[in-house]
Amino acid sequence: MDVLAEFRALLGSAHILTGNDAAPYLTDWRGLYCGSALCVLRPATTEEVAKIVGLCADQDIAIVPQGGNTGLVGGAIPGEGQRAVVLSTTRMTTVRKFDPESNTVTVEAGCILQTLQDYCFERGRLFPLSLGAEGSCTIGGNLATNAGGSQVLRYGNARDLTLGLEVVTADGQVWDGLSGLRKDNTGYDLKSLFVGSEGTLGIITAATLKLFPLPRSKITALVALADLARAVVLLCRTQALLGSGLTAFEVMSGDCLRLVSNCFPNQRLPFEAGPADAPWFVLFELSSNEEQDRAQDSLETLLSEAFEAEEITDAVPASSVEQARALWHLRESIPLAQSERGKGIKCDIALPVSDIAAFVAEMGAELSHVFPGVCVMPFGHLGDGNLHYNIVPSEAFGEDEIQASHDRLYEMVHDAVHCRGGSISAEHGIGQLKRHELLRYKTPHELSMFRAIKSALDHSNILNPGKLI
Ligand code: FAD
Ligand code: ZN
């Protein structure tokens, strides 16, 4: 029997996609990568995943795991001409267990992040992972990329939220590590190895995740600032005043927000002309277990202190849940608005928070000197020291110029980040896009440990080859 017939016998023809049906799985969100595959397989159970891996291992076929296909580094797309299958988890969506006393939920890998958030919310618990792609990305993809997003400041990233995993390993065995334990020092932490491994060490089929009580009140505000250094001062002030009550602190250059309101005219900046021209904005969110009135008082104290210290030039606190949603929508529309401008360059960098303002000032001057007219539109999770330092096409320096200078631009930004002890991928991972960059910045010792781990867990290199390392 040929391998496609074996897959058909295992899953039924309806769950094996080829030709036009497979096309959406073979190109990424940004349209940067286009791959090929024998077929797309859509298993419904862990046992089916294990059998697929067994068959592929026998026939030396590469397996590219894919969740929502919202990744930004080409990790879920097979290479061109690779003898590969895409293994889509989108049928594996069951919540296996909800345990409010232990504050845990066990869910299958293909569950959409927002579906899980809603499921937990309806049962009085918070699953705090939150990102712009939450309506499409999956838990498996979130864990495989160790996703960050807007609530890391308070609740940590995907790895911090993971208590246990179920994984199909490259030999087709199922590792049941679905422990919901918060303490377990019995040797190497296998789950932490699979989280962030981008499908190169195993296929995550389910996870046990941490939950939190729902906050009683939530306050969102957008403030305008004269410069980025003031945003860092405001961050420190807010943390000093509210501690872990600060759940998000997102910074955006003024150009980012103005681009959103130009691109999507129904999304207007909630400021008059003067403050709407501000060079920087911060969107922050405070959550607490106090009543809304008390939380409102804390916000007023914070804003009046910040005005007095000349840290902010204007502020719009959301007066309703709808207005808070509209402010978040502005922030979350930035990636889409930037991509409407054409193909740019995304630099997903992390630096010590105290270095960020100087980095942005110095890097901007250096890039403009070498590439006159270059347009940088940074935004990101300032509280985590993570900026999306994106280079966006402009009239003076368009898509063609950017693509022609791609490697040099990457090198300039990444060298500067590396020199300051930063990271060239804070939350999107390495995938295909940054493989060469990884080789440049990891030491030979680190790379040899990476290779030892990969060959110990997948010595035939069938799991997502050509990604990460
Ligand atoms: P996919 O894109 O399908 O896959 C991503 C990687 O994980 C691939 O290497 C794939 O092989 C692997 N993988 C997928 N499922 C599994 C599995 N079950 N087992 C093993 N490997 C698997 N990311 C952030 O971290 N923070 C953000 O704030 C953020 N904002 C975004 C905003 C927008 C508008 C978009 C489009 C993307 C954003 N991202 C962000 C990136 C992306 O959403 C995340 O990387 C997300 O975690 C990917 O999930 P996914 O299900 O789409 O994974
Ligand atoms: Zn982000």
Side-chain angles (χ1 to χ4, degrees):
M1 210 172 4
D2 77 0
V3 71
L4 277 178
E6 295 200 58
F7 290 144
R8 240 176 263 127
L10 178 65
L11 301 180
S13 336
H15 304 304
I16 299 170
L17 310 180
T18 53
N20 283 347
D21 295 337
Y25 299 79
L26 298 175
T27 183
D28 67 316
W29 188 81
R30 294 170 72 195
L32 290 185
Y33 295 96
C34 196
S36 57
L38 299 174
C39 60
V40 176
L41 301 171
R42 302 180 63 237
T45 64
T46 302
E47 292 66 36
E48 287 177 357
V49 174
K51 285 191 181 139
I52 291 169
V53 174
L55 279 172
C56 289
D58 288 346
Q59 309 241 5
D60 203 21
I61 296 171
I63 304 162
V64 181
Q66 188 180 99
N69 196 13
T70 67
L72 297 174
V73 291
I77 304 300
E80 189 59 56
Q82 221 172 32
R83 193 171 138 76
V85 294
V86 171
L87 189 153
S88 165
T89 58
T90 44
R91 287 177 68 220
M92 303 179 64
T93 57
T94 307
V95 175
R96 292 193 191 162
K97 187 175 174 194
F98 177 77
D99 180 346
E101 280 155 0
S102 308
N103 272 313
T104 62
V105 66
T106 299
V107 63
E108 291 183 350
C111 182
I112 302 280
L113 172 57
Q114 196 170 44
T115 308
L116 184 66
Q117 293 167 348
D118 293 347
Y119 177 97
C120 297
F121 180 83
E122 283 155 17
R123 287 158 183 79
R125 290 294 180 276
L126 174 74
F127 180 61
L129 190 68
S130 178
L131 42 133
E134 64 198 21
S136 320
C137 64
T138 62
I139 294 301
N142 298 150
L143 299 186
T145 57
N146 186 25
S150 60
Q151 306 278 309
V152 174
L153 188 60
R154 162 71 178 87
Y155 299 102
N157 53 23
R159 180 176 283 120
D160 299 315
L161 297 170
T162 305
L163 293 170
L165 289 183
E166 179 187 83
V167 177
V168 174
T169 51
D171 53 8
Q173 291 197 70
V174 180
W175 170 54
D176 179 355
L178 281 177
S179 143
L181 299 176
R182 283 160 202 267
K183 288 192 157 185
D184 178 15
N185 280 348
T186 51
Y188 301 130
D189 186 5
L190 294 175
K191 70 176 183 314
S192 287
L193 197 55
F194 289 109
V195 174
S197 67
E198 301 186 37
T200 63
L201 300 181
I203 297 170
I204 298 167
T205 47
T208 301
L209 303 164
K210 281 184 198 168
L211 300 177
F212 297 82
L214 287 175
R216 286 167 82 177
S217 58
K218 230 183 203 186
I219 287 183
T220 306
L222 182 67
V223 296
L225 304 96
D227 59 46
L228 185 54
R230 284 181 166 82
V232 176
V233 178
L234 178 67
L235 170 68
C236 296
R237 176 186 298 285
T238 315
Q239 283 175 319
L241 193 69
L242 296 155
S244 61
L246 177 64
T247 41
F249 197 90
E250 301 282 301
V251 74
M252 299 154 277
S253 77
D255 290 341
C256 287
L257 284 196
R258 288 184 287 272
L259 179 68
V260 170
S261 59
N262 285 338
C263 256
F264 311 116
N266 60 341
Q267 291 205 51
R268 280 199 307 274
L269 277 177
F271 291 109
E272 302 293 321
D277 299 331
W280 291 92
F281 293 94
V282 165
L283 178 66
F284 62 81
E285 184 189 86
L286 315 174
S287 307
S288 94
N289 288 330
E290 295 175 338
E291 295 303 331
Q292 192 78 11
D293 294 356
R294 299 269 311 269
Q296 210 76 45
D297 291 347
S298 308
L299 176 74
E300 271 163 35
T301 309
L302 173 70
L303 291 180
S304 70
E305 282 181 15
F307 270 119
E308 203 163 305
E310 296 183 354
E311 280 153 28
I312 58 176
T313 54
D314 210 338
V316 174
S319 55
S320 64
V321 174
E322 289 70 37
Q323 203 186 356
R325 227 176 261 143
L327 293 179
W328 273 106
H329 193 40
L330 272 172
R331 156 66 183 87
E332 278 158 8
S333 301
I334 296 172
L336 205 59
Q338 291 189 343
S339 64
E340 293 276 307
R341 274 270 193 105
K343 288 197 177 79
I345 294 186
K346 288 185 189 291
C347 296
D348 167 33
I349 62 171
L351 285 165
V353 174
S354 51
D355 271 5
I356 286 208
F359 169 85
V360 168
E362 286 164 27
M363 195 74 244
E366 218 178 296
L367 288 176
S368 300
H369 179 68
V370 179
F371 300 105
V374 69
C375 171
V376 184
M377 287 198 195
F379 66 96
H381 320 288
L382 185 68
D384 314 321
N386 174 195
L387 270 195
H388 299 305
Y389 191 79
N390 291 354
I391 296 166
V392 177
S394 65
E395 260 176 42
F397 198 76
E399 195 175 294
D400 292 346
E401 281 98 339
I402 292 184
Q403 294 314 318
S405 316
H406 182 282
D407 293 354
R408 180 74 186 113
L409 283 162
Y410 245 12
E411 190 181 324
M412 280 178 70
V413 175
H414 289 166
D415 278 358
V417 166
H418 185 70
C419 282
R420 290 172 184 264
S423 167
I424 61 153
S425 182
E427 55 177 17
H428 298 159
I430 300 298
Q432 305 185 51
L433 183 66
K434 293 189 182 162
R435 269 177 87 203
H436 294 292
E437 302 298 291
L438 191 78
L439 295 179
R440 223 183 18 226
Y441 300 109
K442 289 284 174 194
T443 62
H445 187 203
E446 285 166 327
L447 289 170
S448 85
M449 288 192 276
F450 275 23
R451 291 191 183 110
I453 292 168
K454 172 71 176 169
S455 89
L457 289 178
D458 179 22
H459 64 90
S460 308
N461 196 23
I462 62 160
L463 292 177
N464 219 358
K467 313 293 165 56
L468 210 163
I469 51 168

